[in-house]
Amino acid sequence: MADNTKRFDKKGAGGMDEIAKTLFAPIYPVIAQNIIDRFGITRGTCIDIGSGPASLAIAVAARSDLEVIALDFSGDMHEAASRNIANAGMSDRIRLLCGDVHDIPLADDTADLIISRGSMFFWDDIHCAFREIYRVLKPGGTTYIGGGFGNRELRDAIAADMIRRNPDWKEFNEKNISPENVARFRTMLEEIGVPSFAIIYGDEGLWIVIAKTASGPLP
Ligand code: SAM
């Protein structure tokens, strides 16, 4: 369904893997800890959507007893993820699943926790994607889906470095983590009828928190 796969081919995956292991490396433990501290979900099934090189999946698995499904539609990203998961000694805790967020190959009510960083800005149809996310979320489960760098210090340091490397990145990032996107995602969640959600917008980034209270599809 998605037509932006080229961006995440071998070259894109190599670049993402490299930056995740260097400049972005400090953000994943901080984001993972933010998630654990905020929700206290440490057991059951977690899905990391658009998991890329699996840095966030690894950081969450390392701080919990969650079984993590690293979902991505890019085989090249999964190649990098597979190496990183093995190197982290996490092969028994993190499973790779090839699939598109618009048609998640998992049963209804699968996940206690659904996380995703830096992926939703690339999704073709956010209404369809979030309907799918709601479907696979368990009643009582929650999401933390969006983008950001964990805290203000990391955000400011990484932004300065990224802008030095690529001046266009400033506009790209400001567009993603913006009041306009808060409004766009809020409208989408209301339109698809998600009964209970919140949007975090601040130093930690822009994150969508959905609390699913009952089983069954959206209206
Ligand atoms: N979450 C990782 C991180 O923060 O390091 C990777 C972020 S990378 C910028 C975006 C990821 O989302 C890529 O791995 C890409 O393949 C994945 N992605 C984009 N659109 C997707 C879709 N429709 N379904 C599944 N994965 C998708």
Side-chain angles (χ1 to χ4, degrees):
M1 184 176 291
D3 63 3
N4 63 358
T5 46
K6 183 127 185 45
R7 185 191 288 268
F8 303 111
D9 64 6
K10 199 154 200 67
K11 189 158 166 262
M16 187 68 230
D17 190 34
E18 200 271 327
I19 208 152
K21 285 179 172 144
T22 53
L23 184 58
F24 285 12
I27 71 173
Y28 301 104
V30 173
I31 296 172
Q33 199 59 50
N34 285 347
I35 295 170
I36 304 285
D37 291 347
R38 190 178 286 272
F39 305 117
I41 300 175
T42 56
R43 285 165 189 281
T45 301
C46 169
I47 309 171
D48 180 7
I49 298 181
S51 48
S55 310
L56 184 58
I58 291 168
V60 165
R63 281 162 185 75
S64 71
D65 295 318
L66 287 155
E67 299 294 324
V68 183
I69 298 170
L71 176 85
D72 206 291
F73 70 179
S74 161
D76 292 309
M77 287 286 183
H78 267 169
E79 253 183 66
S82 175
R83 280 194 301 274
N84 298 338
I85 292 165
N87 288 339
M90 288 281 178
S91 303
D92 58 337
R93 298 276 311 287
I94 305 174
R95 164 163 85 93
L96 296 179
L97 179 64
C98 195
D100 192 317
V101 67
H102 301 92
D103 186 14
I104 300 175
L106 289 168
D108 297 0
D109 303 343
T110 295
D112 299 274
L113 178 65
I114 301 182
I115 60 175
S116 176
R117 180 200 165 272
S119 190
M120 72 176 186
F121 310 112
F122 299 103
W123 299 346
D124 290 334
D125 181 341
I126 56 173
H127 291 69
C128 169
F130 275 86
R131 263 195 216 99
E132 276 293 271
I133 287 164
Y134 192 84
R135 180 184 67 75
V136 299
L137 186 63
K138 258 187 205 165
T142 194
T143 71
Y144 189 83
I145 296 172
F149 298 94
N151 63 35
R152 181 199 298 233
E153 291 71 31
L154 285 169
R155 179 199 63 197
D156 292 350
I158 289 172
D161 206 321
M162 287 299 283
I163 293 162
R164 259 196 306 278
R165 293 173 188 216
N166 172 11
D168 293 343
W169 186 86
K170 186 174 192 300
E171 194 189 334
F172 167 76
N173 186 54
E174 283 177 358
K175 201 168 142 235
N176 286 344
I177 317 283
S178 65
E180 291 73 25
N181 250 347
V182 172
R184 182 167 77 99
F185 282 95
R186 182 183 303 285
T187 301
M188 174 276 297
L189 291 164
E190 287 167 359
E191 283 173 355
I192 66 173
V194 172
S196 176
F197 71 86
I199 299 182
I200 297 166
Y201 179 56
D203 291 338
E204 68 185 275
L206 189 173
W207 302 97
I208 295 173
V209 177
I210 294 173
K212 184 166 172 179
T213 49
S215 192
L218 289 166

